[in-house]
Amino acid sequence: DGGITQSPKYLFRKEGQNVTLSCEQNLNHDAMYWYRQDPGQGLRLIYYSQIVNDFQKGDIAEGYSVSREKKESFPLTVTSAQKNPTAFYLCASSIDPGQGLHQPQHFGDGTRLSIL
Amino acid sequence: KQEVTQIPAALSVPEGENLVLNCSFTDSAIYNLQWFRQDPGKGLTSLLLIQSSQREQTSGRLNASLDKSSGRSTLYIAASQPGDSATYLCAVRSGGTSYGKLTFGQGTILTVHP
């Protein structure tokens, strides 16, 4: 089955620690996205990538970093500089919007990050 | 800056009722609007996508309408069932960008009780 796999489902971070969230897709999508979801708020864009080896900051990129070395993978690192990392993190992918603006985004099942 | 608001924040209805969820956005220069469903602890599932040139889209018991000029969309659910219980989010893809940035509303938590 084609889809997006996020791991782990739950993650705990200690003070001063960097943690990496995994996102893998087998939909052959060019574009991938990371969102953060907090209670009572909509999803907010952290980073996005339209093509391998290229990525751009979203609305709330501070304290986060990404890489896009392979088309299938878009890992997100939550660094110690992110002072309030507790949230639900969602990864999404889509056909390159440049090839058609009406391509829906497909989402993984998320990773819930908490602070120890 | 695009802002998306969903009303009500929560809704509880008995099984079998027809219901309407509302979504409003501040900048009418959009490419499309998308409705999603989110089950607890899960990701988002796309329900309907309405292009800016369209007025409505239908899928089974779901009907979504779009009035771009007034900045409003509604999601109509007919003959609601307990399995419809979830959070429903709307998102707009705004004009002026090429990467498909979506701006999300806060969501409406729907509970359908037997």
Side-chain angles (χ1 to χ4, degrees):
Chain A
D1 285 338
I4 300 174
T5 301
Q6 290 188 242
S7 62
K9 189 172 178 65
Y10 300 97
L11 186 59
F12 298 92
R13 195 191 88 169
K14 296 179 181 178
E15 290 287 339
Q17 185 182 43
N18 294 350
V19 292
T20 297
L21 285 60
S22 171
C23 178
E24 303 277 334
Q25 55 97 0
N26 61 5
L27 299 167
N28 199 33
H29 286 166
D30 289 305
M32 297 188 72
Y33 313 83
W34 274 106
Y35 293 93
R36 169 178 173 143
Q37 186 177 31
D38 293 282
Q41 297 190 40
L43 278 68
R44 291 181 291 168
L45 182 66
I46 304 173
Y47 268 98
Y48 66 97
S49 168
Q50 288 183 267
I51 197 169
V52 174
N53 292 323
D54 184 62
F55 48 83
Q56 303 295 328
K57 293 181 179 180
D59 298 322
I60 54 166
E62 185 175 353
Y64 300 96
S65 65
V66 295
S67 63
R68 186 84 188 278
E69 299 177 0
K70 298 187 300 183
K71 186 175 184 177
E72 304 80 21
S73 179
F74 191 40
L76 173 73
T77 296
V78 184
T79 74
S80 57
Q82 173 49 245
K83 298 307 179 187
N84 184 25
T86 297
F88 191 50
Y89 291 85
L90 288 160
C91 178
S93 71
S94 73
I95 294 171
D96 180 9
Q99 298 180 18
L101 288 165
H102 304 302
Q103 303 297 336
Q105 291 187 10
H106 301 264
F107 285 79
D109 277 345
T111 292
R112 188 165 299 279
L113 176 63
S114 302
I115 298 298
L116 285 177
Chain B
K1 179 185 173 186
Q2 178 74 268
E3 293 182 2
V4 179
T5 303
Q6 291 186 245
I7 295 174
L11 181 63
S12 181
V13 300
E15 182 177 4
E17 268 203 14
N18 302 325
L19 58 98
V20 174
L21 307 181
N22 297 290
C23 173
S24 62
F25 47 95
T26 54
D27 184 352
S28 61
I30 65 169
Y31 289 122
N32 57 52
L33 182 144
Q34 199 166 356
W35 282 94
F36 293 90
R37 170 187 171 134
Q38 184 177 30
D39 292 297
K42 296 289 188 179
L44 278 63
T45 300
S46 179
L47 298 174
L48 291 164
L49 184 149
I50 311 176
Q51 299 178 22
S52 60
S53 59
Q54 298 174 329
R55 297 284 292 182
E56 65 179 315
Q57 283 286 327
T58 298
S59 176
R61 294 183 294 109
L62 304 180
N63 176 276
S65 68
L66 174 65
D67 184 344
K68 197 175 77 163
S69 60
S70 67
R72 295 179 182 178
S73 175
T74 61
L75 179 66
Y76 175 82
I77 301 178
S80 59
Q81 303 170 359
D84 294 330
S85 298
T87 298
Y88 291 81
L89 297 109
C90 70
V92 297
R93 175 169 289 170
S94 299
T97 62
S98 63
Y99 62 81
K101 176 185 174 180
L102 296 181
T103 303
F104 285 83
Q106 306 95 317
T108 293
I109 301 171
L110 173 65
T111 303
V112 181
H113 48 87

